Structure formats: C-alpha cells, structure tokens
Amino acid sequence: MVGPRRPQFVLFGSSVVQFSFGEEGWGAILADIYARKADIVLRGYSGWNSRQAVEVLDQVFPKDEAIQPSLVIVYFGGNDSVLPTQDGLSSHVPLDEYVENMRKIAIHLKSLSEKTRIIFLTAPPVNESQILQFFGTKGRKNELCKKYADACVKLCKEMNIKYINLCTTLKQRDDWLTTCFTDGIHLTPIGSKIVAKEILKVIMEAEWKPSLDWESLPVEFA
C-alpha cells in the first residue's frame, strides 16, 4: 500500500473487466478521470462466472482489512448465460443459481463497510454472427443474455443496489451490433466509452455520502 490513501474503486468480474484496462477500455477511462483522486483496482478474471466469483469472495474482499473499498463495480452474467454443453464444460450457470450467487456477492460486499458502495453491471447483448465467426460457436444468445440481465436488475431493485443494464445501455446506439464489440462479446473503445459514461452518471447521481463523483473528490497534493 502506498500513500496517501485514496478512495479505492475495485472492478470485479470476468473478461469484460479484465480487458477494461486495455487501450481505451472503460477501466482505463475511469483510471484516467480519477487520476490523483481515487485508485482504480482491477480484479478481472477471464472466463469466470458467478460461481467461481463466490468461491473467492473472502480472498478478494477480506472482511478483516482495515481499509475497505469505497466502491465495487461487479460484472458477471455474460459467461453464466452461455448455453450448457453435453460435456458440462461450458461456463453456464443456471439462472436461479446465478441470481443467488449475485445475492451472495452483494451481501458480502455490503458487510465490508457501511461506506462501501456497489454497482452491478448486467450481462451485455452480443453479436451472435460475430461470435460464430471468431469462436465457431453458437453458445451465446441475446435471448438468454436478456433473461440474465433482467434477473440481475430485479435483484438489484430488491436489494437497493445501483445497476447498469448493459443490454439496454449498449443498444442506445442504433449501430451497436457493428460498433460495440471486437469479437461479438468484448468491448471496442466505442462500447467502453458508453459503459464508462454510464458508470460516471450513476456515481454522479447517487445520493452517497460522501459523494464519489470525481468532481467532489479532492486532488491529491493540489
């Protein structure tokens, strides 16, 4: 840990999180905007689903740490919502289990500190044709993505958690199918800018005390 201590924002999820620190990724955008104000910490694990996330909660977010995150942005659902395979080797997690896993994640994060805030990102839409081209599989369907996204939104409303429905957010662009994805799943700079803009909007509009809006945080050694 280096000082002075700043608010810590943790990005927790699968490859959409892991790759977010790439060039013009949404995590990199947040790190740039919050430079000298907050530390953006990456905890992204490519290929993971909510089941794997639950298994490492205590390791990634120990309850006995003296300093707890100010904000945790959680993304799981894209891999959970893939179609199951006969060999059982896909990352598919049944919808009911996915919801309960996300509930466990939320409960754990809420227990870290009274000042730890949470934003959930839902499963995004996909470009099915692009996925077939890049991965040679039909295992991801927009119909399933929407079901998992809707279930995540319902849980967030129930638990009073801020959320961003990526299924609706990315589709605000008429050309989302051709501009938002590099391979049908992962985000282009255009897709990342949309996600980062929505995250900043949620933080700005949240009635959190203290506010985590970048304009409200002091500049270190100003």
Side-chain angles (χ1 to χ4, degrees), residues 69-89:
S70 297
L71 173 65
V72 183
I73 300 175
V74 180
Y75 164 80
F76 289 103
N79 291 327
D80 297 71
S81 62
V82 303
L83 291 169
T85 56
Q86 289 185 343
D87 59 14
L89 297 178

Side-chain angles (χ1 to χ4, degrees), residues 94-109:
L95 183 60
D96 288 348
E97 182 188 345
Y98 165 72
V99 172
E100 288 311 305
N101 288 340
M102 296 301 283
R103 187 189 306 277
K104 290 175 183 177
I105 292 171
I107 291 172
H108 183 88
L109 295 178

Side-chain angles (χ1 to χ4, degrees), residues 181-195:
F181 307 108
T182 60
D183 53 12
I185 305 168
H186 302 106
L187 298 173
T188 62
I190 289 175
S192 276
K193 286 177 183 177
I194 294 171
V195 174

Side-chain angles (χ1 to χ4, degrees), residues 34-146:
Y34 278 92
R36 295 181 64 179
K37 294 191 173 188
D39 289 328
I40 312 299
V41 180
L42 184 68
R43 291 295 182 267
Y45 306 94
S46 182
W48 277 34
N49 57 29
S50 64
R51 185 182 296 160
Q52 291 165 294
V54 168
E55 292 174 355
V56 300
L57 276 177
D58 289 319
Q59 297 174 65
V60 178
F61 301 100
K63 290 186 178 183
D64 58 356
E65 286 292 329
I67 305 297
Q68 294 292 354
S70 297
L71 173 65
V72 183
I73 300 175
V74 180
Y75 164 80
F76 289 103
N79 291 327
D80 297 71
S81 62
V82 303
L83 291 169
T85 56
Q86 289 185 343
D87 59 14
L89 297 178
S90 81
S91 60
H92 172 77
V93 172
L95 183 60
D96 288 348
E97 182 188 345
Y98 165 72
V99 172
E100 288 311 305
N101 288 340
M102 296 301 283
R103 187 189 306 277
K104 290 175 183 177
I105 292 171
I107 291 172
H108 183 88
L109 295 178
K110 282 174 175 281
S111 73
L112 297 179
S113 164
E114 291 182 358
K115 294 183 178 180
T116 297
R117 312 304 182 184
I118 307 168
I119 299 174
F120 275 6
L121 309 181
T122 76
V126 294
N127 183 324
E128 296 176 15
S129 299
Q130 212 175 13
I131 289 172
L132 183 61
Q133 175 187 349
F134 277 86
F135 299 100
T137 177
K138 298 180 179 180
R140 296 177 185 264
K141 299 292 183 183
N142 276 305
E143 181 182 357
L144 279 176
C145 292
K146 185 178 184 303

